[in-house]
Amino acid sequence: MDTSVCHLAGGLGRPTWTLSRADACWRWLGNRETNPWYPTMRVFGQDRSGDWSGVVVRLRAALTDFVEARGHVS
């Protein structure tokens, strides 16, 4: 979620994944996956308010790709 931890990690240039509500804060620029403030951050935003199912599906796929790319899954 959008907390000080994600801002700290993004500010430090660490790979960061942030979950965001449909009525996202202005800094997420309409729930785009990328933003100019934190180049290493990926934002997973809701399509509809209160519905996290799409976010979880995209997050799971991204995590699977992330792990497979590092050769940790056969």
Side-chain angles (χ1 to χ4, degrees):
M1 301 298 282
D2 184 358
T3 67
S4 60
V5 174
C6 73
H7 293 281
L8 177 62
L12 291 171
R14 304 304 303 161
T16 307
W17 292 0
T18 300
L19 280 61
S20 183
R21 298 184 324 244
D23 62 343
C25 180
W26 63 269
R27 72 178 66 85
W28 303 136
L29 304 173
N31 266 339
R32 290 183 0 186
E33 233 182 71
T34 61
N35 66 75
W37 327 120
Y38 307 121
T40 60
M41 182 181 288
R42 188 169 173 185
V43 180
F44 295 86
Q46 286 180 325
D47 295 322
R48 290 183 312 274
S49 184
D51 181 9
W52 290 101
S53 61
V55 174
V56 172
V57 167
R58 291 192 311 275
L59 187 64
R60 181 179 183 200
L63 183 57
T64 299
D65 292 346
F66 179 82
V67 171
E68 287 176 352
R70 280 145 183 81
H72 298 292
V73 173
S74 53

